[in-house]
Structures are given as structure tokens and as C-alpha cells.
Amino acid sequence: MRAVWFDAFGAVPELREVPDPVPSASGVVVRVEATGLCRSDWHGWLGHDAGIALPHVPGHELVGVIDAVGPEVRRFAVGQRVTVPFVCACGDCPECRGGNGQVCRNQTQPGFTHWGSYAERVALHNADVNLIAIPVGLDAGAAALLGCRFATSYRGLVHQARLQAGETLVVVGCGGVGLSAVMIGAALGATVIAVDISAAARETAARVGATFTVDSAGLSNDEVVARIRSVTGRGADAGAGAQVSVEALGRESTVGIAIRSLATRGRHVQIGLLAEDPRLPLGDVIARELTVMGSHGMPAGDYPALLALVTSGRLRPQDLIGRRLSLAEAPAALAAMSDPAAPGGVTLIELARP
């Protein structure tokens, strides 16, 4: 099969012929229809994930059709259209038995622990635990993006922060996962404040549901926080700020902005991946009794509510897709993510129709 392949971290990937995957006893092989170009893949390509062994094929947000099944698979069959969480659970450990497969101690991750979906076929493990059936008519982009950025944002807002209709949500960093959080927050009835240095990102955020946008370019952190808190309509009042914040970029400074933008007893969800552990404004956390949480994907069993939001039309992940590329264009697109001037928005790599 054809796959995007690299054998050195940071080296420009190549499109080349590699051996077809075979299903494990409890796994499947999926013929990839589409896969998202995610900043997590870029982090992996640069060597920020210690679990990646070289040579490697990246990619973890996907939708496709089952091409082969292992002998122990019972719930799925060849020909079914499926997606999968980027964290694939084992189904047997204490975390999995407690319903928290997204932090499974024996997890596998396509594109990280083994070869991923920037390929014509991908192997997925523990299929009965992890696969999610996808309606044939659902847009390939909408389906593929559910595996990582939308599931991570949905669980962060719904299951972790418990965002309620009428609350204010501030999203700092409006790349793919940040815009997903904007869309989900709006769909849940929150007032969304989107923060970014990019005019294009802010315009997209406004188009997909943000009530307010804040241009953070050229401002100090204090100035950005002041602008966010003033947007809540309470100025410098002690009650100013958002009830929930999301940092979706992965920078120490923007983590601090997101946390400091919260109202008393607000809840922060960290989604952006960081190359190094940041210093946090713990003085604010203590004084205002803030809560800081992470969100690391979502177990397959929790997908029905998210999928229902998508199939109802209230949430349209496909509206974020700015570029649809071929597999041959994927190596250059992945490498280009290192350029601050590279095109923003969500990129989908399309391979085949079901």
C-alpha cells in the first residue's frame, strides 16, 4: 500500500510503498477514506512523543471501511464504515472497567504506538471495544474529525468542565481543536469568546459560533486578560471572567491567559499539547478556587451523544475544513506546519470513497 513514511524526526516525509497491515486477533484493518492533518501528528514527527519508533507512518483521525477482521472480533464485520478514538483502549484494565478508556494504561494509538492513517490502510486494535459505526451518508470530514479534536473538545467541555447553556466559555487558540471547542460550546448554548492573533482564525471562529473575538496580537498577557474579562460585561468586577476556559494551542503564556481569564470558581480545561511543562498562575487558582483539568480524548462508549449532535445538524465538523488534499500532498503539508505563515484552518487528507 501507499503510505506517508519518515525514518528521522523532522526529516521531510515521503510517500512510498510499504507492506499492507494485517489485523491482530482482536483487531481490524480499515481501508482509509479520509484522515485529518492534526498538530499532534506534527509533534510526533518532530520527536516530541517518546512512544514513536522509527520508521513511522503518522495519522490518527480517520474514517474508513473495514477491510479485514481478526478471528476474535464479534461486533464488527468487513464492509462496515467506522471511526475510532485516537486512544484505543484495552477494555480490561481498571481504567477501562471504570469507563475511562481514554486513559487506558495499556492504550494503543494509531500514528503513535504503531503505524497510522496517513496510508491506504491502517490496523486498529481491540476493535470490539474501540470502533464506532458511522452512517454511510455522513460527510467524510465530519466523521474523521470526531476521532481526535472534536472528541477531545467535547469530553473536555461536557464531561470534564460540565459546561452549561448560558455560561461563558473562552477559547484561547483557534486552530483545529480550538475551533472545535468554539463550535461545541455554541452548540451547547454557551456564550463563546475566541482569542487568537490571526484575523483569519478569529473570522472563522465568529463564523462557526463565537459571540465575541479578541485580537491578542501585540498585546501583553495582562492586556489580553483584561480584554477577555471586559467582554464578559462586568469590567474589573470581582465576578468578571468566564465560567470555563480552554487552552488549545500549547504555550505557557496562553495557558496563563486562559486560567487568569476565569471568574471565581471557574473551570479550565487544558487541551493544547505542550513540548515542556509550563509554569502556572497557581496564585490565581488558589485565591479564586479555580479548577484545572485535562482532556485526553474520549472512550468509544461516550461517542453516541457526540455523534447524535453531528447527525442532528447542530454540530457540523465539516464546516471547519479549509483544504482537502490527496495522500500525495500530505508529506509537504505536514512539514509546512512548522512555518508560522502556513495556511491555518483544518486540513483533510482524502483517500477513497466508501
Side-chain angles (χ1 to χ4, degrees):
M1 68 174 183
R2 296 182 307 149
V4 174
W5 181 96
F6 61 87
D7 61 358
F9 293 120
V12 177
E14 303 174 15
L15 183 65
R16 61 162 59 192
E17 295 286 331
V18 301
D20 283 329
V22 296
S24 59
S26 61
V28 301
V29 170
V30 168
R31 176 166 47 88
V32 179
E33 179 186 349
T35 183
L37 183 71
C38 180
R39 187 155 290 274
S40 299
D41 302 318
W42 176 81
H43 277 285
W45 169 62
L46 289 179
H48 298 164
D49 190 305
I52 292 178
L54 298 174
H56 188 63
V57 174
H60 62 283
E61 288 183 311
L62 67 111
V63 64
V65 174
I66 297 175
D67 204 48
V69 299
E72 297 176 8
V73 177
R74 298 291 178 264
R75 297 182 54 231
F76 294 90
V78 170
Q80 282 186 274
R81 192 183 192 214
V82 296
T83 189
V84 67
F86 78 90
V87 174
C88 291
C90 72
D92 292 325
C93 70
E95 289 77 18
C96 287
R97 290 195 296 270
N100 291 301
Q102 79 284 352
V103 288
C104 169
R105 64 182 61 182
N106 304 312
Q107 64 187 251
T108 58
Q109 297 185 23
F112 295 95
T113 60
H114 62 287
W115 284 10
S117 55
Y118 288 10
E120 292 178 320
R121 291 174 178 81
V122 61
L124 302 172
H125 303 312
N126 298 309
D128 286 341
V129 175
N130 294 300
L131 297 188
I132 300 124
I134 294 295
V136 172
L138 185 64
D139 180 86
L145 299 184
L146 296 182
C148 177
R149 65 195 83 195
F150 273 87
T152 301
S153 295
Y154 183 86
R155 185 172 185 279
L157 293 176
V158 175
H159 300 155
Q160 296 287 80
R162 302 193 180 278
L163 179 68
Q164 302 296 311
E167 290 190 315
T168 297
L169 164 68
V170 60
V171 178
V172 182
C174 293
V177 71
L179 290 171
S180 303
V182 168
M183 293 183 76
I184 292 167
L188 297 174
T191 297
V192 182
I193 303 170
V195 184
D196 205 285
I197 62 172
S198 164
R202 295 193 305 274
E203 289 167 5
T204 302
R207 175 173 59 81
V208 299
T211 308
F212 304 100
T213 63
V214 173
D215 180 1
S216 56
L219 300 180
S220 69
N221 290 356
D222 288 346
E223 289 171 326
V224 177
V225 171
R227 287 197 180 185
I228 296 169
R229 292 171 71 83
S230 69
V231 168
T232 64
R234 290 184 289 271
D237 182 88
Q243 282 72 50
V244 176
S245 66
V246 166
E247 198 278 350
L249 182 62
R251 302 285 188 275
E252 181 179 289
S253 62
T254 46
V255 172
I257 287 169
I259 292 174
R260 292 172 58 208
S261 299
L262 289 170
T264 298
R265 293 191 56 80
R267 295 98 70 195
H268 172 71
V269 182
Q270 183 61 34
I271 293 177
L273 298 176
L274 296 112
E276 298 179 355
D277 287 336
R279 292 170 296 178
L280 300 179
L282 292 181
D284 293 83
V285 172
I286 295 167
R288 290 189 278 123
E289 291 195 348
L290 307 179
T291 301
V292 178
M293 297 168 280
S295 181
H296 189 246
M298 187 167 72
D302 288 343
Y303 266 73
L306 173 59
L307 192 56
L309 202 59
V310 173
T311 56
S312 73
R314 290 175 57 197
L315 184 63
R316 292 176 51 84
Q318 63 269 34
D319 289 351
L320 288 185
I321 298 169
R323 296 187 298 165
R324 294 177 184 254
L325 306 180
S326 68
L327 187 62
E329 295 172 295
L334 179 61
M337 294 182 79
S338 296
D339 183 356
V346 174
T347 299
L348 185 73
I349 300 164
E350 295 185 306
L351 289 92
R353 297 293 180 186

